Amino acid sequence: MSISHFSSSFNVIRGPLSTAIAETIIRTAIRREKEARGQAKNKPRCRMFLMEKLLLLFPLVTFCFQTDDNKIPSLCTGQPGMPGSPGAHGNPGLPGRDGRDGRDGMPGLAGEKGEPGPEGALGPKGDPGEIGPLGPKGDIGPEGECAVAPKSAFTAKISESRSLPLADTPVIFDTAIINEQGHYDPRTGKFTCQIPGVYYFAIHATVFRASLQFDIMKNGISVASFFQFYGNWPKPTSLSGGTLLTLEPQDEVWVQIGVANYTGFYSSQKTDSTFTGFLVYSHWKHSSVFNLK
């Protein structure tokens, strides 16, 4: 039996692919057989031995090769088995990545107004702001009253015809040089306060024929005393004195001889004896203009 005989048998059974494989197997078997044949003496027995081997290979080739329609590259692929049982559940997979942010939704309706919260603590004082620009000029205000400082002043002298004054009585300076407000009375020799405040009073006396001593009196009380001795000099001498006094309305101030024999006031065409007083500043409490502290 030849190789082509066996090959045609395979071709009938399995097709061209099976025939090619079978021929390869047979050629390999014959080559090995020829190598062994040189040593064998019984040729018919060797040929029979070759045929037995080929017959044994035939079922194996028939079983291992599949039809060409399946296109299976393996030489020993079996028939598909029965579906297996479902496998066990696998472990949970890793968490997936976060998805993209969705689009913004439509604005919702306004809610009801809430209750006012509690008042917060007072914050720290802020820094001073910058000075603002100069504002526009205001309208002219109504015309006000003119504030005039109060006045009170006088000066009077003893006339030539007056006799010497008596002790413990006011000296009469009977001739007023200035007395615009009329606060000095030349008939009594007394000044009567009309404006509360501080006043200055001064006496200038010409001394002749006798020594002189006099006091400045306030409401019957001596507040200052002055003395000048006369020593029978041929010409007159002088004596001056003054003081500041705080007066209230209706207070009285005058000059008075303190000692009976010391009455040396003198007046002539060339010399005078004068009594002067004036307001320094007022104490009018109802007027801030003249209320000096």
Side-chain angles (χ1 to χ4, degrees), residues 119-189:
E119 183 177 356
L122 182 64
K125 184 178 181 180
D127 297 331
E130 296 181 357
I131 299 176
L134 185 65
K137 186 176 181 180
D139 298 333
I140 299 176
E143 183 178 357
E145 297 180 1
C146 181
V148 179
K151 299 177 182 180
S152 181
F154 75 95
T155 294
K157 68 177 181 177
I158 299 174
S159 63
E160 296 180 27
S161 59
R162 295 291 301 178
S163 58
L164 294 177
L166 300 177
D168 299 327
T169 60
V171 178
I172 307 299
F173 296 84
D174 57 317
T175 303
I177 299 174
I178 183 172
N179 188 24
E180 294 181 354
Q181 293 77 34
H183 297 166
Y184 173 76
D185 187 353
R187 296 170 299 177
T188 61

Side-chain angles (χ1 to χ4, degrees), residues 66-84:
Q66 300 297 318
T67 59
D68 292 333
D69 296 336
N70 290 334
K71 307 295 181 180
I72 300 176
S74 177
L75 295 178
C76 296
T77 302
Q79 296 293 332
M82 296 295 291

Side-chain angles (χ1 to χ4, degrees), residues 32-50:
R32 291 180 180 178
E33 186 64 25
K34 285 181 179 181
E35 293 174 356
R37 191 167 50 182
Q39 300 175 1
K41 295 181 178 181
N42 192 0
K43 292 180 181 179
R45 189 174 180 181
C46 291
R47 185 176 292 179
M48 184 60 68
F49 178 74
L50 178 61

Side-chain angles (χ1 to χ4, degrees), residues 105-122:
M106 296 296 292
L109 299 176
E112 296 181 358
K113 184 177 181 181
E115 296 292 334
E119 183 177 356
L122 182 64

Side-chain angles (χ1 to χ4, degrees), residues 181-203:
Q181 293 77 34
H183 297 166
Y184 173 76
D185 187 353
R187 296 170 299 177
T188 61
K190 293 183 178 181
F191 170 83
T192 303
C193 175
Q194 304 294 328
I195 301 170
V198 174
Y199 291 78
Y200 181 74
F201 295 94
I203 295 93

